[in-house]
Amino acid sequence: MSSEAVPRFRHEALGVILQVRGDAGEPRLCVLAWQRPRDPFAGLWALPGGPVERGETIEQCIRREVETRLDLAAMAHMEQLRTYSRPDRDPMQRTIGTAYLGLVPADVDAPLPETAGWLPVGRLPGMAFDHAEMVGDGVARMRAKLSYTNLAFALAPARFTMATLRDLYSAALGYEVEATNLQRVLTRRGQLTPTGERHPSGRSGGRPAAVFRFAARSLEITDPFATLRPHGDPS
Amino acid sequence: MSSEAVPRFRHEALGVILQVRGDAGEPRLCVLAWQRPRDPFAGLWALPGGPVERGETIEQCIRREVETRLDLAAMAHMEQLRTYSRPDRDPMQRTIGTAYLGLVPADVDAPLPETAGWLPVGRLPGMAFDHAEMVGDGVARMRAKLSYTNLAFALAPARFTMATLRDLYSAALGYEVEATNLQRVLTRRGQLTPTGERHPSGRSGGRPAAVFRFAARSLEITDPFATLRPHGDPS
DNA sequence: GCAAAAGTGTTAACTGTACACCCATGT
DNA sequence: ACATGGGTGTACAGTTAACACTTTTGC
């Protein structure tokens, strides 16, 4: 209608990279972030990411950006979260941003530069831009998918005992989970494969724990919540 | 790092606007589209949408674009689907596109221009760009949410009998649903409110049907699939 | 009365929670 | 022996699919 040229936008990709980390005692769900050295939002924390380049997809962009700071092979799952477009979300220049959710297994400990850190999502410090909202969206997506998919494969180490997995689920979901029922549910859904190994008990004794691994290493929907399913379709 | 300027992109919003329509006999799930008069993809069908303007969000853009062709008040629900960024998705110029899902109640019959139409999603004609993928994503999202939310409020007329609702669900889900169990499930979840009215039976007789309405007119999660819920939390 | 459509009752299968109880190990 | 933690058995409640059966209408 108008004769004005179509506007063009800076477009950035951002990563909500989550990992359950047990640095000090209890394992906690953490998100990877950088403390900003400069304005805007100097001193606040920002998610990794950067501007999309000319010939790449947004997903290629976030992979490229994260790769420079973290071994990408370490990231076991990645999916698009949502696109944020409030005109004032970047006070310096109009920027549209697409956030991705990335999950890192608990046994990976990639070295990080000084200014980077793993922030506990339960007690986030001040976040730059709309990054706090992105973290919230990412955590919500991950928690939902823990319920009806095998997504935990991307948070768990390659091999684990049920006690380890219980702690991991508890940290990721934000509330206590019982190992007994966790094992039953995951076993019924075919997610767990026993390795045959046993993890010896600690100083305080106790029966040695069986060691498991996840049957699949890519996302599968293991509990289709579809009520109202097709006629004659079990599950 | 590089001294090159950050690239900027044309950004468009697209709408996957769905409605269950019974124009000819059986109601079918349809998507709103326009037949393209010009290249690229002349003759193929494209979703409604257009370029994002300078001061607006992507959601404001898709609302503005759809508004010019359809009464927006008619659309009972809208949510962001996903952002598509393949560099060659628009052969003319690099364009990043964000798709939105919009739902229109079955009793709305907005007049459309000649070149527009409601395409049955079961037998889509050739679609322009990556719009077929967008329709697929939109239909999948809607079907999933029909299972665990009250999303059907956005597809159903204000008042309806269970027979009407059964046909609507069948068309939207793509398989037959029984009115008996549908009523039981929705009633238990508190989605249905009886109006007290009765719909008189037709020529062929039959008991008059009770008329219902949806208890809520905005999206609610009525069946949280969360297995592994917090200790001592029913439902 | 009979066909048609709506609505109710009942059963069976499955899932997840809670909790009691048994097993294997270190000290 | 006993404390500690892992693992199993079992009962119960909630949900949904399937289908037989009853109710209310038009003809």
Side-chain angles (χ1 to χ4, degrees), chain A residues 54 56 83 94 175 178 228, chain B residues 54 83 94 175 228 231:
Chain A
R54 217 165 286 285
E56 68 183 0
T83 296
R94 178 75 200 267
Y175 53 78
E178 294 184 22
L228 307 172
Chain B
R54 214 165 288 285
T83 296
R94 178 74 199 268
Y175 52 79
L228 306 173
H231 213 78

Side-chain angles (χ1 to χ4, degrees), chain A residues 1 38 71 96 129 133 160 176 186 195 200 211:
Chain A
M1 313 300 173
R38 290 186 296 274
D71 177 20
I96 297 177
F129 307 100
E133 183 186 359
F160 48 85
E176 292 303 305
L186 297 186
T195 64
V211 176

Side-chain angles (χ1 to χ4, degrees), chain B residues 52-130:
Chain B
V52 176
E53 296 294 340
R54 214 165 288 285
E56 67 183 0
T57 64
I58 310 176
E59 175 155 354
Q60 284 164 348
C61 171
I62 187 60
R63 287 186 180 278
R64 179 173 51 71
E65 290 285 345
V66 170
E67 212 163 31
T68 65
R69 312 164 208 204
L70 198 69
D71 177 20
L72 236 192
M75 201 147 35
H77 175 75
M78 178 163 258
E79 66 181 53
Q80 190 184 113
L81 264 180
R82 195 160 87 76
T83 296
Y84 303 78
S85 60
R86 267 200 6 251
D88 60 347
R89 58 177 292 278
D90 181 336
M92 303 297 278
Q93 54 187 326
R94 178 74 199 268
T95 305
I96 296 177
T98 300
Y100 280 76
L101 170 67
L103 300 182
V104 178
D107 55 345
V108 172
D109 195 12
L112 290 184
E114 275 296 315
T115 53
W118 289 97
L119 312 178
V121 301
R123 255 171 288 151
L124 275 189
M127 300 291 289
F129 306 100
D130 47 5

Side-chain angles (χ1 to χ4, degrees), chain A residues 4-11 51-60 80-87 93-94 96 98 100 141 144-148 169 173 175-178 181-182 185-186 189 223 225-231, chain B residues 4-11 51-60 80-87 93-94 96 98 100 141 144-148 169 173 175-178 181-182 185-186 189 223 225-231:
Chain A
E4 224 179 295
V6 166
R8 288 162 194 276
F9 303 89
R10 184 169 177 274
H11 199 115
V52 176
E53 297 294 342
R54 217 165 286 285
E56 68 183 0
T57 64
I58 310 177
E59 175 155 352
Q60 285 164 347
Q80 191 185 112
L81 264 180
R82 195 159 87 75
T83 296
Y84 303 78
S85 62
R86 268 196 10 248
Q93 54 186 327
R94 178 75 200 267
I96 297 177
T98 300
Y100 280 76
R141 173 82 61 90
K145 287 203 167 179
L146 278 182
S147 279
Y148 65 93
Y169 265 87
L173 291 173
Y175 53 78
E176 292 303 305
V177 170
E178 294 184 22
N181 293 329
L182 180 61
V185 169
L186 297 186
R189 294 181 181 173
D223 182 34
F225 36 77
T227 170
L228 307 172
R229 19 183 186 289
H231 214 77
Chain B
E4 224 177 295
V6 166
R8 286 159 197 279
F9 302 89
R10 184 170 177 274
H11 199 116
V52 176
E53 296 294 340
R54 214 165 288 285
E56 67 183 0
T57 64
I58 310 176
E59 175 155 354
Q60 284 164 348
Q80 190 184 113
L81 264 180
R82 195 160 87 76
T83 296
Y84 303 78
S85 60
R86 267 200 6 251
Q93 54 187 326
R94 178 74 199 268
I96 296 177
T98 300
Y100 280 76
R141 173 81 60 92
K145 286 203 168 179
L146 278 181
S147 280
Y148 67 93
Y169 264 88
L173 291 174
Y175 52 79
E176 292 303 306
V177 169
E178 293 184 22
N181 293 328
L182 179 61
V185 168
L186 297 186
R189 294 181 182 174
D223 182 36
F225 36 77
T227 169
L228 306 173
R229 20 185 183 287
H231 213 78

Side-chain angles (χ1 to χ4, degrees), chain A residues 20-28 30 123:
Chain A
V20 174
R21 299 178 62 85
D23 309 309
E26 286 302 288
R28 293 183 301 183
C30 297
R123 257 171 288 152

